[in-house]
């Protein structure tokens, strides 16, 4: 009984400590990751814009692909989702609880995105519009698949 | 003697054309487009959302053109009234009898204008809208910056709510006429004809076939150009 109580108390203490560690930078971290997602959205739109034009500007495509790849690298490398930085922080965020309950899957999807945006950059260098189109589509599917599991809708 | 028997006796009911088939087709087709747009976006079926939006654009362009060159009851000049007539008509609303109009009444005419303007605005915003990920976007979104595309999407969401409210008012008014004023406005919008007793009411004068063809071509041409993203602007 006492043992059980001790376990419970230590869990509370440990999680409390974790919260305390995440606390000081939490609001900045939400801002930081949001900026990164916005940059990804703008870069993705930049790619789609070129593919919509009758003649795509390959320089712009390379530039936007590089921007998307850099943002995906940061997303994979940074610990942008510390515990306590979900909606429970009181801030406006669409972070789903699955980010923390399935953190390994979340990390896997981030790495997959990183790899796919590298492939997109490689496709952009070939200036082969069909290859670029396919690579853009693959990245988009990657985004959507991850959002389905790890982002709250509305 | 014979001519006397042909003329309808005064005060008797007769059936007259109120809504021609292009106007009725527009009405029910836009209902389908609105429903499809709503369903598709709720279920992330964006390809269907774009199709519904493009169909709505074609229908709206057609309806606006038909409002200038079409059948008498569909023309803006016929059903747009000044404030005095609107007020005078509004005073007759509490009377429990069918309103003696063949076509839009002075109040309903403005409701139609509001619905058309909002739907056009809604489709127009959708053309430039971009989702938060830059994944999904309207056919003209390439002409605007990401941030402005996001603004268009936010307004697209807001106008939708206003549109739902206005449609609720529209359906509510139709039910009010049906249940309180004993005036069935639904059947004429399906079959085109209405039973009237007022001898002064004339059936709708049908628009010319050439006008119909021109309005349809204008609608299809505009929609095709927009669907292709107006590439000549690039």
């Amino acid at each position: 009984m006492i043992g059980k109580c001790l376990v419970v108390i230590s869990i509370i203490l440990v999680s409390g400590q974790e919260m305390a560690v995440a606390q000081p930078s939490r609001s900045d971290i939400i801002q930081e990751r949001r900026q990164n997602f916005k940059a990804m959205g703008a870069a993705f739109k930049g790619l789609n814009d070129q593919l919509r034009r009758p003649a795509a500007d390959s320089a712009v495509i390379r530039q936007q692909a590089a921007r998307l790849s850099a943002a995906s690298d940061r997303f994979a490398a940074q610990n942008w989702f510390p515990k306590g930085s979900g909606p429970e922080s009181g801030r406006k965020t669409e972070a789903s609880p699955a980010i923390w309950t399935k953190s390994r899957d979340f990390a896997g999807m981030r790495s997959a995105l990183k790899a796919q945006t590298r492939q997109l950059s490689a496709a952009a260098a070939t200036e082969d519009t069909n290859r670029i189109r396919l690579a853009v589509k693959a990245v988009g599917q990657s985004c959507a698949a991850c959002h389905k599991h790890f982002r709250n809708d509305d | 003697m014979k001519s006397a028997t042909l003329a309808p006796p005064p005060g008797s009911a007769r059936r007259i054309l109120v809504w021609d088939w292009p106007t009725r087709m527009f009405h029910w087709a836009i209902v389908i487009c609105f429903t499809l747009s709503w369903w598709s976006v709720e279920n992330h079926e964006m390809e269907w959302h774009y199709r519904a939006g493009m169909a709505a654009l074609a229908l709206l362009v057609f309806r606006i053109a038909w409002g200038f060159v079409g059948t008498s009851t569909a023309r803006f000049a016929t059903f747009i009234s000044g404030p005095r007539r609107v007020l005078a008509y509004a005073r007759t609303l509490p009377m429990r009898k069918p309103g003696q109009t063949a076509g839009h009444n002075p109040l309903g005419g403005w409701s139609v204008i509001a619905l058309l303007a909002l739907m056009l605005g809604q489709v127009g915003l959708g053309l430039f809208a971009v989702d938060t990920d830059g994944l999904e976007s309207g056919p003209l979104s390439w002409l605007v910056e990401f941030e402005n595309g996001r603004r268009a999407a936010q307004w697209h969401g807001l106008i939708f709510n206003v549109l739902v409210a206005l449609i609720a008012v529209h359906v509510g008014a139709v039910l009010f006429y049906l249940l309180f004023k004993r005036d069935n406005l639904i059947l004429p919008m399906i079959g085109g004809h209405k039973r009237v007793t007022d001898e002064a009411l004339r059936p709708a004068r049908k628009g010319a076939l050439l006008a119909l063809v021109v309005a349809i071509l204008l609608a299809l041409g505009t929609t095709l150009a927009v669907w292709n993203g107006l590439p000549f602007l690039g």
Side-chain angles (χ1 to χ4, degrees):
Chain A
M1 187 63 198
I2 291 167
K4 257 186 191 171
C5 278
L6 279 176
V7 168
V8 169
I9 287 167
S10 55
I11 285 172
I12 290 168
L13 282 175
V14 167
S15 54
Q17 269 170 353
E18 271 182 13
M19 298 274 280
V21 168
Q23 201 86 44
S25 58
R26 195 188 297 156
S27 60
D28 302 328
I29 258 176
I30 293 177
Q31 188 58 26
E32 224 178 291
R33 72 192 186 206
R34 190 195 295 274
Q35 287 303 328
N36 198 61
F37 283 128
K38 274 195 176 164
M40 287 166 115
F44 207 88
K45 181 185 179 293
L47 289 164
N48 276 333
D49 287 356
Q50 289 307 319
L51 295 174
R52 267 209 173 99
R53 284 169 183 265
D57 185 333
S58 51
V60 175
I61 289 187
R62 276 199 303 276
Q63 183 197 334
Q64 299 297 338
R67 200 174 154 205
L68 191 58
S69 185
S72 303
D73 285 358
R74 285 196 295 273
F75 181 36
Q78 298 275 344
N79 180 25
W80 263 330
F81 290 88
K83 279 204 177 97
S85 71
E88 70 274 20
S89 65
R91 300 274 315 275
K92 205 182 144 204
T93 170
E94 290 172 318
S96 151
I99 288 174
W100 296 279
T101 57
K102 292 176 183 164
S103 55
R104 195 167 297 186
D105 292 350
F106 186 53
M109 287 195 130
R110 279 150 57 203
S111 310
L113 179 70
K114 182 177 157 177
Q116 253 160 352
T117 53
R118 293 240 163 119
Q119 281 179 4
L120 171 61
S121 282
T126 67
E127 302 193 4
D128 176 346
T129 313
N130 280 330
R131 228 186 115 181
I132 295 167
R133 211 177 281 277
L134 285 173
V136 165
K137 203 178 167 186
V139 171
Q141 281 168 347
S142 212
C143 296
C146 190
H147 291 162
K148 202 175 165 187
H149 293 103
F150 298 106
R151 183 171 74 180
N152 288 330
D153 231 356
D154 296 321
Chain B
M1 279 302 279
K2 207 168 187 187
S3 65
T5 53
L6 278 173
S12 73
R14 65 207 160 93
R15 288 174 83 244
I16 60 167
L17 179 74
V18 182
W19 307 116
D20 63 345
W21 70 261
T23 305
R24 285 178 276 144
M25 185 250 4
F26 163 79
H27 180 278
W28 297 112
I30 205 83
V31 171
I32 292 169
C33 281
F34 181 83
T35 314
L36 183 60
S37 303
W38 191 351
W39 170 85
S40 57
V41 79
E42 287 293 320
N43 293 286
H44 306 287
E45 293 281 354
M46 290 309 288
E47 286 305 318
W48 282 105
H49 194 70
Y50 301 141
R51 286 180 197 134
M54 285 300 107
L57 177 66
L59 288 165
L60 287 165
V61 171
F62 168 77
R63 182 61 187 88
I64 290 163
W66 203 233
F68 289 103
V69 298
T71 296
S72 58
T73 48
R75 288 196 188 196
F76 299 124
T78 316
F79 68 76
I80 294 180
S81 327
R84 205 174 304 165
R85 283 193 60 209
V86 173
L87 268 176
Y89 182 81
R91 284 199 200 94
T92 71
L93 278 180
M95 294 178 197
R96 197 157 191 176
K97 60 172 192 183
Q100 286 293 345
T101 45
H104 297 300
N105 65 57
L107 204 54
W110 281 108
S111 146
V112 169
I113 295 294
L115 278 166
L116 287 176
L118 268 179
M119 285 191 290
L120 196 67
Q122 182 66 343
V123 171
L125 284 166
L127 299 178
F128 296 94
V130 181
D131 75 347
T132 180
D133 311 314
L135 293 179
E136 300 290 346
S137 52
L140 301 185
S141 60
W142 67 280
L143 295 164
V144 298
E145 293 288 320
F146 182 61
E147 285 299 323
N148 287 332
R150 291 298 300 137
R151 272 187 206 113
Q154 275 145 17
W155 278 99
H156 196 58
L158 286 174
I159 302 267
F160 170 76
N161 293 330
V162 181
L163 206 45
V164 168
L166 207 58
I167 290 168
V169 170
H170 173 66
V171 173
V174 170
L175 290 177
F176 170 76
Y177 273 80
L178 182 70
L179 302 172
F180 182 78
K181 290 175 87 74
R182 311 274 160 80
D183 195 354
N184 190 331
L185 305 181
I186 305 160
L187 284 178
M189 193 44 88
I190 296 169
H193 292 81
K194 184 180 181 175
R195 287 184 79 81
V196 292
T197 49
D198 189 339
E199 287 166 66
L201 291 179
R202 291 278 160 266
R205 275 170 284 106
K206 282 187 186 171
L209 182 64
L210 180 66
L212 182 69
V213 171
V214 168
I216 289 173
L217 288 178
L218 187 69
L220 292 180
T222 310
T223 307
L224 203 65
V226 169
W227 179 243
N228 287 316
L230 306 181
F232 48 84
L233 291 178

